[in-house]
Amino acid sequence: MIEGYLGRESVTVGGEVTFHLSTDAPRFRLRFYRLGEELIPVGESGEYPGGLHTPPGHPDELPGRASPADDWNWPPLTLPVPGDWEPGIHLVEFVECGPDRPGDPPLLDAEHIEGHAREFFVVRPRVPGSRSRILYKKSTFTRHAYNRSDRPGLERAVSLYDHPVHRVGNGDEPRGHKVSLHRPGGVIDLAYWDAPFIAWLERHGYPVEYCTDLDLHEDPGLLASYDLLLSVGHDEYWSAAMRTHAERFVADGGNIAFLSANTCWWRVHPTDGNTAFVSDTDHHVGDEYPHLPATDQWWVPAPDGVGNPENTLTGVSFRNGGMWPATEWPGDRPRVGYTVQHADHWIYEGTGLRDGSDGGTADRLGAGTPLIGYECDGAAFSCDADGIARATGEDGTPKSFLILGIHVLEPVHEDFHHFKWGHWNGPAREPTISSPRAATMGLHTADGGGTVFTAGTTDWPVVCGHEQDPAVGRVTRNLLDRLRHRSPRPGRARPDR
């Protein structure tokens, strides 16, 4: 048995990376890989003495449960990051050594990224923006919210969702559910959403640089070195500083592509020297569920929420979309794709897709694939005399938001806190919104000239990365080619038409 976690998930070439491990093996070593078109081995450490360490107990004294809220405080092992390593997302595999141990197990490959006894970390270049003007943000806060700290043979089941810890708040931290970033848990979300899309980016010649949520939170100047920010997959938890820095970036002419959904749904407050965060969500507090008011819900008006709807930035919101539950992704959700609108828009160039304006039936982007879901975001809309869906803006979506693809969700279940299988489960929203719940793809242009595109679905990078639909790949290339370089602000053309 071996497990561990990172002291920090983002390091710079030539810097140091710290690991915290626990094992019942007498010794261990570390194998390193870089995630790209393939999973490439880049190095291996020598052997180090092993030690078995226990986690802190659950603050609510739950029998057999560890704490998801406290630093597990295992001993550190700090190693240098070689100066010749190529920046990117790296995987570290924890290898047990000694009698009756695997000794020299086979190297991991692209089909075996997911699993325990491994973690990932971002290696950044010494000079930001020196390799690419595209910055790929790995959604690490969301990853930690869902991390249950399980390992083979032991289901700890402690996270922001499973046996969570709720703190009443004090002068040092706000009220809310708390999770520590210093816990083991292995690799799950990286393998599903990120790995296939990163391989696609490298296969098609799009160099990118990487950062974590914490990088964006801490560094107000981080985005100044880039022209395009990518949000990929499931990007649910954002701090106020992340939001401010992203909005300032767009106002200054920078571009964002949200190839994600459930985006910016909860606000987080990093604490404990940015090694943990608190978020006042609707998750369990003892036997209470849902816990309301959930004051870190971005869209809900203050004082019951933040009062700053996420769709003022993204154009869409999870409250106008929904979630299709499944035990294994992609599950049995409908595979119908987006109904195409405005087929003459540059986003559809080279796809051959039609929007029905010629009197025929509109094509569907991603038809036959699980493009829509498992979670999807939407905008309040109404249809004009020609049946074209147009954002109303009543929910805070910018007036310039252009709906390029839409799929009305059905069947819908309106009680999000008690899932109904075989349905799109929709969260609460303003009672004044009468439009159907719909996954929505579109874009808008800010006053400063920056363009924001939203795919409106978590699984865009999966379908694109695995090349399940040629048109989804072409749309993604059109998007990257158009937005990877920001235009000069004076006289900047508006790319939304």
Side-chain angles (χ1 to χ4, degrees), residues 266-267 280 293-308:
W266 295 110
R267 179 179 62 178
D280 191 29
T295 59
D296 281 316
Q297 186 99 74
W298 277 104
W299 73 269
V300 174
D304 290 345
V306 182
N308 186 8

Side-chain angles (χ1 to χ4, degrees), residues 9 22 31 88 115 151 166 168 190 239 251 282 289 320 334 340 415 429-430 463 482:
E9 295 161 311
S22 174
R31 282 178 173 171
R151 63 170 170 80
H166 188 271
V168 296
L190 179 81
S239 72
D282 58 6
Y289 180 76
N320 294 316
V340 171
D415 184 358
R429 58 177 177 171
E430 301 93 326
V463 171
R482 184 85 172 207

Side-chain angles (χ1 to χ4, degrees), residues 16 91 102 163 166 191 198 266 292 294 323 328 336 364 373 432 436 466 479:
E16 293 182 332
L91 203 71
H163 306 101
H166 188 271
I198 290 169
W266 295 110
L292 297 172
M323 184 271 282
E328 294 288 340
V336 291
R364 300 190 72 95
T432 55
H466 290 302
L479 175 71

Side-chain angles (χ1 to χ4, degrees), residues 1 13 81 92 95 109 118 131 133 135 169 186 228 259 275 307 310 330 356 401 414 447 450 461 491:
M1 184 283 297
V13 170
V81 177
V92 56
V95 180
D109 59 27
R118 68 204 64 175
R131 300 172 60 88
R133 301 289 292 183
L135 182 64
L228 173 62
L259 307 179
T275 66
E310 59 277 8
F401 187 77
E414 293 289 349
D447 291 340

Side-chain angles (χ1 to χ4, degrees), residues 117-377:
R118 68 204 64 175
E119 284 292 338
F120 70 85
F121 57 100
V122 168
V123 176
R124 301 183 58 209
R126 291 187 177 93
V127 180
S130 59
R131 300 172 60 88
S132 174
R133 301 289 292 183
I134 302 174
L135 182 64
Y136 183 122
K137 183 185 71 65
K138 177 69 188 95
S139 56
T140 45
F141 285 156
T142 301
R143 177 264 180 124
H144 286 288
Y146 285 86
N147 175 23
R148 291 162 45 99
S149 291
D150 294 336
R151 63 170 170 80
L154 180 59
E155 186 180 84
R156 292 190 175 107
V158 288
S159 71
L160 212 64
Y161 296 79
D162 310 272
H163 306 101
V165 171
H166 188 271
R167 299 279 170 81
V168 296
N170 53 45
D172 296 324
E173 65 182 32
R175 182 186 83 166
H177 296 87
K178 184 175 183 179
V179 291
S180 173
L181 313 187
H182 283 179
R183 301 178 294 130
V187 172
I188 300 176
D189 64 311
L190 179 81
Y192 183 74
W193 283 297
D194 302 279
F197 189 61
I198 290 169
W200 182 92
L201 287 168
E202 294 211 354
R203 195 161 56 243
H204 290 273
Y206 292 101
V208 299
E209 295 181 7
Y210 296 87
C211 75
T212 65
D213 287 339
L214 190 56
D215 291 323
L216 181 56
H217 169 82
E218 291 181 335
D219 187 355
L222 173 65
L223 297 178
S225 298
Y226 302 97
D227 294 335
L228 173 62
L229 175 67
L230 300 180
S231 158
V232 176
H234 191 194
D235 201 4
E236 183 175 355
Y237 290 84
W238 282 57
S239 72
M242 290 171 62
R243 180 91 179 261
T244 296
H245 300 160
E247 289 172 341
R248 184 181 303 134
F249 175 63
V250 173
D252 288 341
N255 306 312
I256 302 179
F258 289 104
L259 307 179
S260 57
N262 195 207
T263 304
C264 201
W265 186 237
W266 295 110
R267 179 179 62 178
V268 304
H269 308 269
T271 64
D272 299 4
N274 292 343
T275 66
F277 69 77
V278 171
S279 183
D280 191 29
T281 72
D282 58 6
H283 305 154
H284 283 87
V285 176
D287 293 331
E288 178 193 1
Y289 180 76
H291 161 66
L292 297 172
T295 59
D296 281 316
Q297 186 99 74
W298 277 104
W299 73 269
V300 174
D304 290 345
V306 182
N308 186 8
E310 59 277 8
N311 45 305
T312 61
L313 170 63
T314 66
V316 293
S317 170
F318 183 54
R319 72 188 189 277
N320 294 316
M323 184 271 282
W324 188 278
T327 54
E328 294 288 340
W329 294 327
D332 61 349
R333 64 180 183 258
R335 287 158 164 75
V336 291
Y338 278 123
T339 299
V340 171
Q341 297 195 151
H342 311 293
D344 60 341
H345 191 277
W346 57 261
I347 204 78
Y348 289 121
E349 183 179 347
T351 64
L353 294 174
R354 300 165 300 173
D355 58 14
S357 59
D358 58 358
T361 301
D363 290 326
R364 300 190 72 95
L365 175 68
T369 76
L371 179 65
I372 309 299
Y374 86 101
E375 291 185 320
C376 48
D377 298 349

